[in-house]
PDB file of all heavy atoms in Angstrom:
ATOM      1  N   SER E 825       0.902  -1.255   0.163  1.00 85.00           N
ATOM      2  CA  SER E 825      -0.046   0.035  -0.021  1.00 85.00           C
ATOM      3  C   SER E 825       0.849   1.222   0.035  1.00 85.00           C
ATOM      4  O   SER E 825       1.889   1.285   0.546  1.00 85.00           O
ATOM      5  CB  SER E 825      -0.906   0.027   1.136  1.00 85.00           C
ATOM      6  OG  SER E 825      -0.273   0.093   2.431  1.00 85.00           O
ATOM      7  N   PHE E 826       0.439   2.255  -0.666  1.00 70.00           N
ATOM      8  CA  PHE E 826       1.189   3.496  -0.753  1.00 70.00           C
ATOM      9  C   PHE E 826       0.285   4.719  -0.277  1.00 70.00           C
ATOM     10  O   PHE E 826      -0.772   5.075  -0.808  1.00 70.00           O
ATOM     11  CB  PHE E 826       1.489   3.769  -2.280  1.00 70.00           C
ATOM     12  CG  PHE E 826       2.597   4.854  -2.459  1.00 70.00           C
ATOM     13  CD1 PHE E 826       3.883   4.412  -2.297  1.00 70.00           C
ATOM     14  CD2 PHE E 826       2.253   6.072  -2.749  1.00 70.00           C
ATOM     15  CE1 PHE E 826       4.912   5.281  -2.631  1.00 70.00           C
ATOM     16  CE2 PHE E 826       3.302   6.999  -2.890  1.00 70.00           C
ATOM     17  CZ  PHE E 826       4.598   6.644  -2.959  1.00 70.00           C
ATOM     18  N   SER E 827       0.576   5.111   0.919  1.00 63.00           N
ATOM     19  CA  SER E 827      -0.314   6.067   1.559  1.00 63.00           C
ATOM     20  C   SER E 827      -0.150   7.536   1.031  1.00 63.00           C
ATOM     21  O   SER E 827       0.855   7.880   0.308  1.00 63.00           O
ATOM     22  CB  SER E 827       0.108   6.150   3.141  1.00 63.00           C
ATOM     23  OG  SER E 827       1.539   6.595   3.196  1.00 63.00           O
ATOM     24  N   LYS E 828      -1.096   8.336   1.291  1.00 64.00           N
ATOM     25  CA  LYS E 828      -1.187   9.645   0.713  1.00 64.00           C
ATOM     26  C   LYS E 828       0.000  10.480   1.285  1.00 64.00           C
ATOM     27  O   LYS E 828       0.240  10.478   2.564  1.00 64.00           O
ATOM     28  CB  LYS E 828      -2.540  10.408   1.095  1.00 64.00           C
ATOM     29  CG  LYS E 828      -2.700  11.835   0.525  1.00 64.00           C
ATOM     30  CD  LYS E 828      -4.087  12.325   0.964  1.00 64.00           C
ATOM     31  CE  LYS E 828      -4.059  13.714   0.283  1.00 64.00           C
ATOM     32  NZ  LYS E 828      -5.406  14.362   0.671  1.00 64.00           N
ATOM     33  N   GLY E 829       0.711  11.127   0.518  1.00 61.00           N
ATOM     34  CA  GLY E 829       1.861  11.838   1.080  1.00 61.00           C
ATOM     35  C   GLY E 829       3.336  11.074   1.081  1.00 61.00           C
ATOM     36  O   GLY E 829       4.327  11.814   1.242  1.00 61.00           O
ATOM     37  N   GLN E 830       3.179   9.753   0.842  1.00 66.00           N
ATOM     38  CA  GLN E 830       4.329   8.958   0.864  1.00 66.00           C
ATOM     39  C   GLN E 830       5.253   9.292  -0.373  1.00 66.00           C
ATOM     40  O   GLN E 830       4.601   9.590  -1.473  1.00 66.00           O
ATOM     41  CB  GLN E 830       3.922   7.479   0.821  1.00 66.00           C
ATOM     42  CG  GLN E 830       5.078   6.472   0.858  1.00 66.00           C
ATOM     43  CD  GLN E 830       4.691   5.059   1.057  1.00 66.00           C
ATOM     44  OE1 GLN E 830       3.648   4.753   1.505  1.00 66.00           O
ATOM     45  NE2 GLN E 830       5.625   4.144   0.793  1.00 66.00           N
ATOM     46  N   LYS E 831       6.410   9.134  -0.316  1.00 61.00           N
ATOM     47  CA  LYS E 831       7.315   9.429  -1.561  1.00 61.00           C
ATOM     48  C   LYS E 831       8.102   8.210  -1.696  1.00 61.00           C
ATOM     49  O   LYS E 831       8.678   7.398  -0.789  1.00 61.00           O
ATOM     50  CB  LYS E 831       8.255  10.604  -1.063  1.00 61.00           C
ATOM     51  CG  LYS E 831       7.614  11.777  -0.720  1.00 61.00           C
ATOM     52  CD  LYS E 831       6.742  12.461  -1.791  1.00 61.00           C
ATOM     53  CE  LYS E 831       6.215  13.802  -1.543  1.00 61.00           C
ATOM     54  NZ  LYS E 831       5.054  13.763  -0.707  1.00 61.00           N
ATOM     55  N   GLY E 832       8.246   7.816  -2.999  1.00 63.00           N
ATOM     56  CA  GLY E 832       8.986   6.651  -3.372  1.00 63.00           C
ATOM     57  C   GLY E 832      10.334   6.904  -3.747  1.00 63.00           C
ATOM     58  O   GLY E 832      11.266   6.034  -3.682  1.00 63.00           O
ATOM     59  N   SER E 833      10.661   8.148  -4.372  1.00 56.00           N
ATOM     60  CA  SER E 833      12.076   8.355  -4.625  1.00 56.00           C
ATOM     61  C   SER E 833      12.211   9.967  -4.564  1.00 56.00           C
ATOM     62  O   SER E 833      11.420  10.729  -4.857  1.00 56.00           O
ATOM     63  CB  SER E 833      12.264   8.001  -6.075  1.00 56.00           C
ATOM     64  OG  SER E 833      13.469   8.567  -6.616  1.00 56.00           O
ATOM     65  N   SER E 834      13.446  10.357  -4.177  1.00 57.00           N
ATOM     66  CA  SER E 834      13.818  11.821  -4.078  1.00 57.00           C
ATOM     67  C   SER E 834      13.921  12.454  -5.472  1.00 57.00           C
ATOM     68  O   SER E 834      13.875  13.601  -5.618  1.00 57.00           O
ATOM     69  CB  SER E 834      14.948  12.045  -3.295  1.00 57.00           C
ATOM     70  OG  SER E 834      16.228  11.467  -3.890  1.00 57.00           O
ATOM     71  N   ALA E 835      14.211  11.573  -6.427  1.00 56.00           N
ATOM     72  CA  ALA E 835      14.496  12.033  -7.819  1.00 56.00           C
ATOM     73  C   ALA E 835      13.394  11.780  -8.739  1.00 56.00           C
ATOM     74  O   ALA E 835      13.137  12.490  -9.780  1.00 56.00           O
ATOM     75  CB  ALA E 835      15.747  11.470  -8.321  1.00 56.00           C
ATOM     76  N   MET E 836      12.603  10.550  -8.558  1.00 64.00           N
ATOM     77  CA  MET E 836      11.631  10.145  -9.514  1.00 64.00           C
ATOM     78  C   MET E 836      10.302  10.163  -8.913  1.00 64.00           C
ATOM     79  O   MET E 836       9.856   9.243  -8.145  1.00 64.00           O
ATOM     80  CB  MET E 836      12.024   8.783 -10.030  1.00 64.00           C
ATOM     81  CG  MET E 836      13.316   8.755 -10.736  1.00 64.00           C
ATOM     82  SD  MET E 836      13.998   7.099 -11.071  1.00 64.00           S
ATOM     83  CE  MET E 836      14.504   6.758  -9.446  1.00 64.00           C
ATOM     84  N   PRO E 837       9.398  11.149  -9.141  1.00 59.00           N
ATOM     85  CA  PRO E 837       8.009  11.391  -8.567  1.00 59.00           C
ATOM     86  C   PRO E 837       7.074  10.084  -8.812  1.00 59.00           C
ATOM     87  O   PRO E 837       6.314   9.977  -8.027  1.00 59.00           O
ATOM     88  CB  PRO E 837       7.619  12.630  -9.089  1.00 59.00           C
ATOM     89  CG  PRO E 837       8.721  13.404  -9.563  1.00 59.00           C
ATOM     90  CD  PRO E 837       9.690  12.423  -9.997  1.00 59.00           C
ATOM     91  N   HIS E 838       7.311   9.397  -9.833  1.00 60.00           N
ATOM     92  CA  HIS E 838       6.456   8.296 -10.131  1.00 60.00           C
ATOM     93  C   HIS E 838       6.610   7.015  -9.421  1.00 60.00           C
ATOM     94  O   HIS E 838       5.850   6.041  -9.419  1.00 60.00           O
ATOM     95  CB  HIS E 838       6.555   7.967 -11.648  1.00 60.00           C
ATOM     96  CG  HIS E 838       7.896   7.260 -11.975  1.00 60.00           C
ATOM     97  ND1 HIS E 838       9.034   7.996 -12.180  1.00 60.00           N
ATOM     98  CD2 HIS E 838       8.164   5.830 -12.132  1.00 60.00           C
ATOM     99  CE1 HIS E 838      10.064   7.103 -12.488  1.00 60.00           C
ATOM    100  NE2 HIS E 838       9.497   5.855 -12.483  1.00 60.00           N
ATOM    101  N   LYS E 839       7.743   6.903  -8.597  1.00 59.00           N
ATOM    102  CA  LYS E 839       8.133   5.729  -7.978  1.00 59.00           C
ATOM    103  C   LYS E 839       7.312   5.298  -6.768  1.00 59.00           C
ATOM    104  O   LYS E 839       6.951   6.046  -5.957  1.00 59.00           O
ATOM    105  CB  LYS E 839       9.604   5.787  -7.571  1.00 59.00           C
ATOM    106  CG  LYS E 839      10.670   5.806  -8.592  1.00 59.00           C
ATOM    107  CD  LYS E 839      10.740   4.566  -9.507  1.00 59.00           C
ATOM    108  CE  LYS E 839      11.241   3.368  -8.890  1.00 59.00           C
ATOM    109  NZ  LYS E 839      12.622   3.440  -8.394  1.00 59.00           N
ATOM    110  N   ARG E 840       6.775   3.978  -6.766  1.00 80.00           N
ATOM    111  CA  ARG E 840       6.252   3.216  -5.621  1.00 80.00           C
ATOM    112  C   ARG E 840       7.003   2.023  -5.376  1.00 80.00           C
ATOM    113  O   ARG E 840       6.916   0.944  -6.015  1.00 80.00           O
ATOM    114  CB  ARG E 840       4.774   3.041  -6.129  1.00 80.00           C
ATOM    115  CG  ARG E 840       3.848   4.178  -6.327  1.00 80.00           C
ATOM    116  CD  ARG E 840       2.688   3.858  -7.068  1.00 80.00           C
ATOM    117  NE  ARG E 840       1.721   2.979  -6.440  1.00 80.00           N
ATOM    118  CZ  ARG E 840       0.625   3.262  -5.900  1.00 80.00           C
ATOM    119  NH1 ARG E 840       0.349   4.717  -5.797  1.00 80.00           N
ATOM    120  NH2 ARG E 840      -0.274   2.564  -5.270  1.00 80.00           N
ATOM    121  N   ASN E 841       7.880   2.041  -4.422  1.00 83.00           N
ATOM    122  CA  ASN E 841       8.809   1.099  -4.198  1.00 83.00           C
ATOM    123  C   ASN E 841       8.529   0.144  -3.031  1.00 83.00           C
ATOM    124  O   ASN E 841       7.885   0.569  -2.065  1.00 83.00           O
ATOM    125  CB  ASN E 841      10.183   1.683  -3.797  1.00 83.00           C
ATOM    126  CG  ASN E 841      10.655   2.505  -4.991  1.00 83.00           C
ATOM    127  OD1 ASN E 841      10.602   2.293  -6.208  1.00 83.00           O
ATOM    128  ND2 ASN E 841      11.454   3.622  -4.550  1.00 83.00           N
ATOM    129  N   PRO E 842       8.846  -1.113  -3.152  1.00 87.00           N
ATOM    130  CA  PRO E 842       8.389  -2.129  -2.042  1.00 87.00           C
ATOM    131  C   PRO E 842       9.359  -2.097  -0.864  1.00 87.00           C
ATOM    132  O   PRO E 842      10.094  -2.891  -0.483  1.00 87.00           O
ATOM    133  CB  PRO E 842       8.452  -3.457  -2.777  1.00 87.00           C
ATOM    134  CG  PRO E 842       9.582  -3.379  -3.681  1.00 87.00           C
ATOM    135  CD  PRO E 842       9.508  -1.885  -4.237  1.00 87.00           C
ATOM    136  N   ILE E 843       9.407  -0.705  -0.383  1.00 89.00           N
ATOM    137  CA  ILE E 843      10.512  -0.592   0.699  1.00 89.00           C
ATOM    138  C   ILE E 843      10.308  -1.444   2.064  1.00 89.00           C
ATOM    139  O   ILE E 843      11.261  -1.794   2.634  1.00 89.00           O
ATOM    140  CB  ILE E 843      10.462   0.912   1.073  1.00 89.00           C
ATOM    141  CG1 ILE E 843       9.017   1.479   1.640  1.00 89.00           C
ATOM    142  CG2 ILE E 843      10.872   1.766  -0.110  1.00 89.00           C
ATOM    143  CD1 ILE E 843       9.072   2.795   2.254  1.00 89.00           C
ATOM    144  N   SER E 844       9.055  -1.690   2.353  1.00 94.00           N
ATOM    145  CA  SER E 844       8.825  -2.376   3.600  1.00 94.00           C
ATOM    146  C   SER E 844       9.395  -3.840   3.459  1.00 94.00           C
ATOM    147  O   SER E 844       9.879  -4.540   4.275  1.00 94.00           O
ATOM    148  CB  SER E 844       7.390  -2.484   4.046  1.00 94.00           C
ATOM    149  OG  SER E 844       6.963  -1.035   4.389  1.00 94.00           O
ATOM    150  N   SER E 845       8.981  -4.495   2.330  1.00 95.00           N
ATOM    151  CA  SER E 845       9.398  -5.867   2.009  1.00 95.00           C
ATOM    152  C   SER E 845      10.932  -5.893   1.926  1.00 95.00           C
ATOM    153  O   SER E 845      11.718  -6.836   2.392  1.00 95.00           O
ATOM    154  CB  SER E 845       8.839  -6.345   0.714  1.00 95.00           C
ATOM    155  OG  SER E 845       7.426  -6.493   0.921  1.00 95.00           O
ATOM    156  N   GLU E 846      11.510  -4.864   1.310  1.00 96.00           N
ATOM    157  CA  GLU E 846      13.036  -4.742   1.288  1.00 96.00           C
ATOM    158  C   GLU E 846      13.649  -4.601   2.722  1.00 96.00           C
ATOM    159  O   GLU E 846      14.672  -5.140   2.989  1.00 96.00           O
ATOM    160  CB  GLU E 846      13.440  -3.631   0.352  1.00 96.00           C
ATOM    161  CG  GLU E 846      13.162  -3.829  -1.049  1.00 96.00           C
ATOM    162  CD  GLU E 846      13.345  -2.681  -1.845  1.00 96.00           C
ATOM    163  OE1 GLU E 846      13.452  -1.459  -1.394  1.00 96.00           O
ATOM    164  OE2 GLU E 846      13.372  -2.776  -3.213  1.00 96.00           O
ATOM    165  N   ASN E 847      12.878  -3.872   3.564  1.00 96.00           N
ATOM    166  CA  ASN E 847      13.319  -3.834   4.926  1.00 96.00           C
ATOM    167  C   ASN E 847      13.356  -5.131   5.622  1.00 96.00           C
ATOM    168  O   ASN E 847      14.341  -5.411   6.346  1.00 96.00           O
ATOM    169  CB  ASN E 847      12.410  -2.775   5.641  1.00 96.00           C
ATOM    170  CG  ASN E 847      12.709  -2.686   7.020  1.00 96.00           C
ATOM    171  OD1 ASN E 847      12.152  -3.515   7.866  1.00 96.00           O
ATOM    172  ND2 ASN E 847      13.515  -1.777   7.541  1.00 96.00           N
ATOM    173  N   ILE E 848      12.275  -5.964   5.389  1.00 97.00           N
ATOM    174  CA  ILE E 848      12.206  -7.285   5.973  1.00 97.00           C
ATOM    175  C   ILE E 848      13.371  -8.205   5.580  1.00 97.00           C
ATOM    176  O   ILE E 848      13.988  -8.894   6.308  1.00 97.00           O
ATOM    177  CB  ILE E 848      10.840  -7.886   5.688  1.00 97.00           C
ATOM    178  CG1 ILE E 848       9.802  -7.112   6.234  1.00 97.00           C
ATOM    179  CG2 ILE E 848      10.888  -9.316   6.133  1.00 97.00           C
ATOM    180  CD1 ILE E 848       9.794  -6.990   7.783  1.00 97.00           C
ATOM    181  N   CYS E 849      13.746  -8.056   4.291  1.00 97.00           N
ATOM    182  CA  CYS E 849      14.816  -8.859   3.693  1.00 97.00           C
ATOM    183  C   CYS E 849      16.209  -8.500   4.415  1.00 97.00           C
ATOM    184  O   CYS E 849      16.958  -9.279   4.739  1.00 97.00           O
ATOM    185  CB  CYS E 849      15.000  -8.797   2.188  1.00 97.00           C
ATOM    186  SG  CYS E 849      13.527  -9.394   1.306  1.00 97.00           S
ATOM    187  N   GLY E 850      16.435  -7.229   4.626  1.00 97.00           N
ATOM    188  CA  GLY E 850      17.562  -6.630   5.220  1.00 97.00           C
ATOM    189  C   GLY E 850      17.703  -7.102   6.729  1.00 97.00           C
ATOM    190  O   GLY E 850      18.703  -7.593   7.183  1.00 97.00           O
ATOM    191  N   CYS E 851      16.655  -6.961   7.405  1.00 97.00           N
ATOM    192  CA  CYS E 851      16.630  -7.288   8.781  1.00 97.00           C
ATOM    193  C   CYS E 851      16.762  -8.794   9.070  1.00 97.00           C
ATOM    194  O   CYS E 851      17.483  -9.192  10.068  1.00 97.00           O
ATOM    195  CB  CYS E 851      15.204  -6.920   9.407  1.00 97.00           C
ATOM    196  SG  CYS E 851      15.032  -5.153   9.556  1.00 97.00           S
ATOM    197  N   SER E 852      16.418  -9.622   7.979  1.00 97.00           N
ATOM    198  CA  SER E 852      16.508 -11.111   8.228  1.00 97.00           C
ATOM    199  C   SER E 852      17.924 -11.370   8.199  1.00 97.00           C
ATOM    200  O   SER E 852      18.428 -12.261   8.774  1.00 97.00           O
ATOM    201  CB  SER E 852      15.732 -11.723   7.077  1.00 97.00           C
ATOM    202  OG  SER E 852      15.905 -13.093   7.004  1.00 97.00           O
ATOM    203  N   ARG E 853      18.710 -10.670   7.193  1.00 97.00           N
ATOM    204  CA  ARG E 853      20.013 -10.914   7.230  1.00 97.00           C
ATOM    205  C   ARG E 853      20.780 -10.610   8.548  1.00 97.00           C
ATOM    206  O   ARG E 853      21.734 -11.339   9.033  1.00 97.00           O
ATOM    207  CB  ARG E 853      20.717  -9.971   6.038  1.00 97.00           C
ATOM    208  CG  ARG E 853      20.259 -10.242   4.740  1.00 97.00           C
ATOM    209  CD  ARG E 853      20.665  -9.242   3.679  1.00 97.00           C
ATOM    210  NE  ARG E 853      19.982  -9.238   2.540  1.00 97.00           N
ATOM    211  CZ  ARG E 853      19.923  -8.476   1.481  1.00 97.00           C
ATOM    212  NH1 ARG E 853      20.621  -7.269   1.632  1.00 97.00           N
ATOM    213  NH2 ARG E 853      19.289  -8.702   0.321  1.00 97.00           N
ATOM    214  N   VAL E 854      20.403  -9.573   9.272  1.00 97.00           N
ATOM    215  CA  VAL E 854      20.944  -9.308  10.403  1.00 97.00           C
ATOM    216  C   VAL E 854      20.667 -10.418  11.562  1.00 97.00           C
ATOM    217  O   VAL E 854      21.455 -10.840  12.348  1.00 97.00           O
ATOM    218  CB  VAL E 854      20.358  -7.928  11.103  1.00 97.00           C
ATOM    219  CG1 VAL E 854      20.828  -7.787  12.558  1.00 97.00           C
ATOM    220  CG2 VAL E 854      20.800  -6.791  10.083  1.00 97.00           C
ATOM    221  N   MET E 855      19.362 -10.974  11.463  1.00 97.00           N
ATOM    222  CA  MET E 855      18.966 -12.038  12.394  1.00 97.00           C
ATOM    223  C   MET E 855      19.951 -13.176  12.228  1.00 97.00           C
ATOM    224  O   MET E 855      20.322 -13.950  13.124  1.00 97.00           O
ATOM    225  CB  MET E 855      17.557 -12.439  12.074  1.00 97.00           C
ATOM    226  CG  MET E 855      16.548 -11.364  12.664  1.00 97.00           C
ATOM    227  SD  MET E 855      16.555 -11.360  14.492  1.00 97.00           S
ATOM    228  CE  MET E 855      15.730 -12.774  14.811  1.00 97.00           C
ATOM    229  N   ARG E 856      20.186 -13.505  10.999  1.00 97.00           N
ATOM    230  CA  ARG E 856      21.068 -14.711  10.682  1.00 97.00           C
ATOM    231  C   ARG E 856      22.494 -14.506  11.188  1.00 97.00           C
ATOM    232  O   ARG E 856      23.234 -15.342  11.510  1.00 97.00           O
ATOM    233  CB  ARG E 856      21.250 -15.161   9.185  1.00 97.00           C
ATOM    234  CG  ARG E 856      19.789 -15.748   8.812  1.00 97.00           C
ATOM    235  CD  ARG E 856      19.785 -16.301   7.315  1.00 97.00           C
ATOM    236  NE  ARG E 856      20.001 -15.298   6.356  1.00 97.00           N
ATOM    237  CZ  ARG E 856      19.121 -14.666   5.776  1.00 97.00           C
ATOM    238  NH1 ARG E 856      17.791 -14.872   6.098  1.00 97.00           N
ATOM    239  NH2 ARG E 856      19.318 -13.719   4.830  1.00 97.00           N
ATOM    240  N   GLY E 857      22.920 -13.237  11.286  1.00 97.00           N
ATOM    241  CA  GLY E 857      24.121 -12.806  11.944  1.00 97.00           C
ATOM    242  C   GLY E 857      24.218 -13.073  13.402  1.00 97.00           C
ATOM    243  O   GLY E 857      25.184 -13.657  13.954  1.00 97.00           O
ATOM    244  N   TYR E 858      23.100 -12.879  14.000  1.00 97.00           N
ATOM    245  CA  TYR E 858      22.950 -13.141  15.521  1.00 97.00           C
ATOM    246  C   TYR E 858      22.960 -14.619  15.675  1.00 97.00           C
ATOM    247  O   TYR E 858      23.679 -15.135  16.623  1.00 97.00           O
ATOM    248  CB  TYR E 858      21.595 -12.662  15.985  1.00 97.00           C
ATOM    249  CG  TYR E 858      21.373 -11.188  15.945  1.00 97.00           C
ATOM    250  CD1 TYR E 858      20.117 -10.597  15.916  1.00 97.00           C
ATOM    251  CD2 TYR E 858      22.447 -10.331  16.108  1.00 97.00           C
ATOM    252  CE1 TYR E 858      19.907  -9.263  15.873  1.00 97.00           C
ATOM    253  CE2 TYR E 858      22.287  -8.977  16.274  1.00 97.00           C
ATOM    254  CZ  TYR E 858      20.967  -8.419  15.995  1.00 97.00           C
ATOM    255  OH  TYR E 858      20.745  -7.002  16.110  1.00 97.00           O
ATOM    256  N   MET E 859      22.465 -15.432  14.739  1.00 97.00           N
ATOM    257  CA  MET E 859      22.548 -16.913  14.817  1.00 97.00           C
ATOM    258  C   MET E 859      23.952 -17.350  14.934  1.00 97.00           C
ATOM    259  O   MET E 859      24.268 -18.309  15.612  1.00 97.00           O
ATOM    260  CB  MET E 859      21.751 -17.444  13.569  1.00 97.00           C
ATOM    261  CG  MET E 859      21.752 -19.025  13.634  1.00 97.00           C
ATOM    262  SD  MET E 859      20.723 -19.723  12.346  1.00 97.00           S
ATOM    263  CE  MET E 859      21.830 -19.218  10.960  1.00 97.00           C
ATOM    264  N   HIS E 860      24.694 -16.839  14.026  1.00 97.00           N
ATOM    265  CA  HIS E 860      26.177 -17.287  13.847  1.00 97.00           C
ATOM    266  C   HIS E 860      26.847 -17.001  15.302  1.00 97.00           C
ATOM    267  O   HIS E 860      27.558 -17.712  15.709  1.00 97.00           O
ATOM    268  CB  HIS E 860      26.820 -16.546  12.793  1.00 97.00           C
ATOM    269  CG  HIS E 860      28.232 -16.702  12.737  1.00 97.00           C
ATOM    270  ND1 HIS E 860      28.809 -17.819  12.109  1.00 97.00           N
ATOM    271  CD2 HIS E 860      29.435 -15.949  13.191  1.00 97.00           C
ATOM    272  CE1 HIS E 860      30.166 -17.846  12.234  1.00 97.00           C
ATOM    273  NE2 HIS E 860      30.514 -16.690  12.766  1.00 97.00           N
ATOM    274  N   THR E 861      26.593 -15.788  15.790  1.00 97.00           N
ATOM    275  CA  THR E 861      27.192 -15.392  17.142  1.00 97.00           C
ATOM    276  C   THR E 861      26.744 -16.353  18.167  1.00 97.00           C
ATOM    277  O   THR E 861      27.601 -16.710  19.051  1.00 97.00           O
ATOM    278  CB  THR E 861      26.778 -13.963  17.423  1.00 97.00           C
ATOM    279  OG1 THR E 861      27.316 -13.096  16.514  1.00 97.00           O
ATOM    280  CG2 THR E 861      27.384 -13.610  18.825  1.00 97.00           C
TER     281      THR E 861
END
């Protein structure tokens, strides 16, 4: 979902990016790092 007022890109006004899903992917990498420790 893309809320009113949300911005997808500082340069490209048309962008609607899957930023939350990308966030989840990045956080998962951190979690696997904790597992190694």
Side-chain angles (χ1 to χ4, degrees):
S825 63
F826 198 82
S827 60
K828 186 178 180 181
Q830 185 176 338
K831 304 294 185 283
S833 166
S834 63
M836 297 166 284
H838 70 279
K839 293 298 290 299
R840 296 162 65 101
N841 303 323
I843 58 169
S844 293
S845 295
E846 290 171 344
N847 172 274
I848 296 299
C849 292
C851 289
S852 180
R853 297 167 191 171
V854 176
M855 287 292 292
R856 290 191 292 275
Y858 295 150
M859 178 179 68
H860 175 79
T861 302

